[in-house]
mmCIF file of all heavy atoms in Angstrom:
data_model
loop_
_atom_site.group_PDB
_atom_site.id
_atom_site.type_symbol
_atom_site.label_atom_id
_atom_site.label_comp_id
_atom_site.label_asym_id
_atom_site.label_seq_id
_atom_site.Cartn_x
_atom_site.Cartn_y
_atom_site.Cartn_z
ATOM 1 N N GLY S 838 7.937 -4.136 -67.474
ATOM 2 C CA GLY S 838 9.318 -4.434 -67.658
ATOM 3 C C GLY S 838 9.896 -3.738 -68.870
ATOM 4 O O GLY S 838 9.316 -2.795 -69.406
ATOM 5 N N MET S 841 7.666 -3.718 -72.051
ATOM 6 C CA MET S 841 6.567 -2.753 -72.002
ATOM 7 C C MET S 841 7.083 -1.347 -72.288
ATOM 8 O O MET S 841 6.465 -0.571 -73.002
ATOM 9 C CB MET S 841 5.874 -2.793 -70.645
ATOM 10 C CG MET S 841 4.787 -1.740 -70.499
ATOM 11 S SD MET S 841 3.515 -1.827 -71.758
ATOM 12 C CE MET S 841 2.429 -3.008 -71.038
ATOM 13 N N ARG S 842 8.243 -1.006 -71.748
ATOM 14 C CA ARG S 842 8.816 0.327 -71.992
ATOM 15 C C ARG S 842 9.136 0.523 -73.479
ATOM 16 O O ARG S 842 8.947 1.604 -74.017
ATOM 17 C CB ARG S 842 10.058 0.533 -71.138
ATOM 18 C CG ARG S 842 9.705 0.620 -69.669
ATOM 19 C CD ARG S 842 10.894 1.000 -68.834
ATOM 20 N NE ARG S 842 10.671 0.710 -67.434
ATOM 21 C CZ ARG S 842 9.859 1.380 -66.633
ATOM 22 N NH1 ARG S 842 9.167 2.382 -67.101
ATOM 23 N NH2 ARG S 842 9.725 1.048 -65.369
ATOM 24 N N LEU S 845 5.891 1.250 -75.254
ATOM 25 C CA LEU S 845 5.465 2.628 -75.005
ATOM 26 C C LEU S 845 6.287 3.621 -75.804
ATOM 27 O O LEU S 845 5.756 4.623 -76.284
ATOM 28 C CB LEU S 845 5.556 2.938 -73.507
ATOM 29 C CG LEU S 845 4.563 2.174 -72.625
ATOM 30 C CD1 LEU S 845 4.821 2.484 -71.160
ATOM 31 C CD2 LEU S 845 3.138 2.488 -73.006
ATOM 32 N N ILE S 864 1.210 7.385 -67.177
ATOM 33 C CA ILE S 864 0.743 7.219 -65.809
ATOM 34 C C ILE S 864 0.856 5.759 -65.384
ATOM 35 O O ILE S 864 0.775 4.854 -66.204
ATOM 36 C CB ILE S 864 -0.716 7.701 -65.611
ATOM 37 C CG1 ILE S 864 -1.695 6.878 -66.446
ATOM 38 C CG2 ILE S 864 -0.846 9.185 -65.918
ATOM 39 C CD1 ILE S 864 -3.152 7.147 -66.129
ATOM 40 N N CYS S 865 1.045 5.584 -64.098
ATOM 41 C CA CYS S 865 0.992 4.260 -63.499
ATOM 42 C C CYS S 865 -0.455 4.029 -63.090
ATOM 43 O O CYS S 865 -1.100 4.924 -62.543
ATOM 44 C CB CYS S 865 1.911 4.224 -62.270
ATOM 45 S SG CYS S 865 1.846 2.655 -61.376
ATOM 46 N N THR S 866 -0.980 2.857 -63.349
ATOM 47 C CA THR S 866 -2.385 2.588 -63.043
ATOM 48 C C THR S 866 -2.605 2.085 -61.620
ATOM 49 O O THR S 866 -3.712 1.733 -61.260
ATOM 50 C CB THR S 866 -2.964 1.557 -64.037
ATOM 51 O OG1 THR S 866 -2.195 0.348 -63.943
ATOM 52 C CG2 THR S 866 -2.939 2.089 -65.456
ATOM 53 N N GLY S 867 -1.563 2.077 -60.818
ATOM 54 C CA GLY S 867 -1.676 1.622 -59.429
ATOM 55 C C GLY S 867 -2.598 2.510 -58.603
ATOM 56 O O GLY S 867 -2.771 3.696 -58.900
ATOM 57 N N PRO S 868 -3.190 1.958 -57.558
ATOM 58 C CA PRO S 868 -4.170 2.696 -56.752
ATOM 59 C C PRO S 868 -3.585 3.885 -55.990
ATOM 60 O O PRO S 868 -4.309 4.796 -55.616
ATOM 61 C CB PRO S 868 -4.711 1.639 -55.786
ATOM 62 C CG PRO S 868 -3.633 0.602 -55.709
ATOM 63 C CD PRO S 868 -2.979 0.603 -57.062
ATOM 64 N N LYS S 869 -2.292 3.914 -55.758
ATOM 65 C CA LYS S 869 -1.672 5.010 -55.002
ATOM 66 C C LYS S 869 -1.010 6.048 -55.905
ATOM 67 O O LYS S 869 -0.428 7.007 -55.419
ATOM 68 C CB LYS S 869 -0.637 4.458 -54.021
ATOM 69 C CG LYS S 869 -1.258 3.599 -52.939
ATOM 70 C CD LYS S 869 -0.215 3.111 -51.968
ATOM 71 C CE LYS S 869 -0.870 2.234 -50.910
ATOM 72 N NZ LYS S 869 0.112 1.768 -49.929
ATOM 73 N N SER S 870 -1.116 5.864 -57.202
ATOM 74 C CA SER S 870 -0.472 6.777 -58.147
ATOM 75 C C SER S 870 -1.209 8.113 -58.190
ATOM 76 O O SER S 870 -2.436 8.156 -58.292
ATOM 77 C CB SER S 870 -0.450 6.151 -59.533
ATOM 78 O OG SER S 870 0.171 7.006 -60.444
ATOM 79 N N GLY S 881 10.562 8.462 -60.849
ATOM 80 C CA GLY S 881 9.300 8.262 -60.136
ATOM 81 C C GLY S 881 8.473 7.124 -60.718
ATOM 82 O O GLY S 881 7.771 6.418 -60.006
ATOM 83 N N LEU S 882 8.553 6.943 -62.001
ATOM 84 C CA LEU S 882 7.790 5.888 -62.659
ATOM 85 C C LEU S 882 8.411 4.511 -62.458
ATOM 86 O O LEU S 882 7.748 3.492 -62.622
ATOM 87 C CB LEU S 882 7.670 6.208 -64.151
ATOM 88 C CG LEU S 882 6.535 5.572 -64.937
ATOM 89 C CD1 LEU S 882 5.193 5.812 -64.269
ATOM 90 C CD2 LEU S 882 6.511 6.102 -66.341
ATOM 91 N N GLN S 883 9.665 4.480 -62.055
ATOM 92 C CA GLN S 883 10.344 3.202 -61.810
ATOM 93 C C GLN S 883 9.717 2.446 -60.639
ATOM 94 O O GLN S 883 9.871 1.243 -60.521
ATOM 95 C CB GLN S 883 11.833 3.425 -61.532
ATOM 96 C CG GLN S 883 12.581 4.127 -62.653
ATOM 97 C CD GLN S 883 12.612 3.331 -63.933
ATOM 98 O OE1 GLN S 883 12.817 2.128 -63.908
ATOM 99 N NE2 GLN S 883 12.391 3.995 -65.048
ATOM 100 N N GLU S 884 9.010 3.150 -59.776
ATOM 101 C CA GLU S 884 8.381 2.529 -58.605
ATOM 102 C C GLU S 884 7.045 1.868 -58.929
ATOM 103 O O GLU S 884 6.455 1.221 -58.070
ATOM 104 C CB GLU S 884 8.175 3.582 -57.512
ATOM 105 C CG GLU S 884 9.466 4.212 -57.023
ATOM 106 C CD GLU S 884 10.399 3.194 -56.396
ATOM 107 O OE1 GLU S 884 9.919 2.336 -55.629
ATOM 108 O OE2 GLU S 884 11.610 3.256 -56.691
ATOM 109 N N CYS S 885 6.548 2.044 -60.137
ATOM 110 C CA CYS S 885 5.234 1.502 -60.513
ATOM 111 C C CYS S 885 5.253 -0.023 -60.511
ATOM 112 O O CYS S 885 6.104 -0.650 -61.133
ATOM 113 C CB CYS S 885 4.842 2.017 -61.901
ATOM 114 S SG CYS S 885 3.226 1.422 -62.445
ATOM 115 N N ARG S 886 4.314 -0.610 -59.807
ATOM 116 C CA ARG S 886 4.186 -2.074 -59.758
ATOM 117 C C ARG S 886 2.960 -2.545 -60.547
ATOM 118 O O ARG S 886 2.648 -3.718 -60.583
ATOM 119 C CB ARG S 886 4.065 -2.548 -58.304
ATOM 120 C CG ARG S 886 5.288 -2.199 -57.454
ATOM 121 C CD ARG S 886 6.505 -2.994 -57.908
ATOM 122 N NE ARG S 886 7.697 -2.591 -57.178
ATOM 123 C CZ ARG S 886 8.707 -1.894 -57.701
ATOM 124 N NH1 ARG S 886 8.665 -1.516 -58.961
ATOM 125 N NH2 ARG S 886 9.746 -1.579 -56.982
ATOM 126 N N SER S 887 2.276 -1.603 -61.182
ATOM 127 C CA SER S 887 1.112 -1.914 -62.020
ATOM 128 C C SER S 887 1.478 -1.630 -63.468
ATOM 129 O O SER S 887 2.652 -1.552 -63.805
ATOM 130 C CB SER S 887 -0.076 -1.058 -61.586
ATOM 131 O OG SER S 887 -0.408 -1.321 -60.238
ATOM 132 N N SER S 888 0.487 -1.404 -64.293
ATOM 133 C CA SER S 888 0.732 -1.087 -65.697
ATOM 134 C C SER S 888 1.090 0.381 -65.867
ATOM 135 O O SER S 888 0.644 1.228 -65.106
ATOM 136 C CB SER S 888 -0.515 -1.384 -66.526
ATOM 137 O OG SER S 888 -0.827 -2.750 -66.457
ATOM 138 N N ILE S 889 1.871 0.678 -66.890
ATOM 139 C CA ILE S 889 2.183 2.044 -67.277
ATOM 140 C C ILE S 889 1.506 2.272 -68.617
ATOM 141 O O ILE S 889 1.721 1.505 -69.555
ATOM 142 C CB ILE S 889 3.703 2.255 -67.408
ATOM 143 C CG1 ILE S 889 4.378 2.004 -66.065
ATOM 144 C CG2 ILE S 889 4.005 3.656 -67.940
ATOM 145 C CD1 ILE S 889 5.891 1.942 -66.150
ATOM 146 N N ILE S 890 0.669 3.303 -68.692
ATOM 147 C CA ILE S 890 -0.061 3.551 -69.929
ATOM 148 C C ILE S 890 0.156 4.980 -70.414
ATOM 149 O O ILE S 890 0.298 5.894 -69.610
ATOM 150 C CB ILE S 890 -1.576 3.265 -69.769
ATOM 151 C CG1 ILE S 890 -2.186 4.169 -68.687
ATOM 152 C CG2 ILE S 890 -1.831 1.797 -69.467
ATOM 153 C CD1 ILE S 890 -3.711 4.109 -68.641
ATOM 154 N N ARG S 903 -4.630 13.579 -62.078
ATOM 155 C CA ARG S 903 -3.208 13.521 -61.739
ATOM 156 C C ARG S 903 -2.576 14.899 -61.900
ATOM 157 O O ARG S 903 -3.020 15.709 -62.700
ATOM 158 C CB ARG S 903 -2.464 12.533 -62.643
ATOM 159 C CG ARG S 903 -3.074 11.135 -62.728
ATOM 160 C CD ARG S 903 -2.875 10.363 -61.447
ATOM 161 N NE ARG S 903 -3.578 9.096 -61.461
ATOM 162 C CZ ARG S 903 -3.069 7.961 -61.906
ATOM 163 N NH1 ARG S 903 -1.842 7.923 -62.391
ATOM 164 N NH2 ARG S 903 -3.776 6.858 -61.871
#
Side-chain angles (χ1 to χ4, degrees):
M841 176 57 86
R842 292 187 197 288
L845 293 176
I864 63 171
C865 176
T866 59
K869 295 182 181 181
S870 180
L882 202 52
Q883 301 296 318
E884 299 298 317
C885 181
R886 299 292 175 251
S887 300
S888 298
I889 299 170
I890 60 170
R903 308 288 173 89

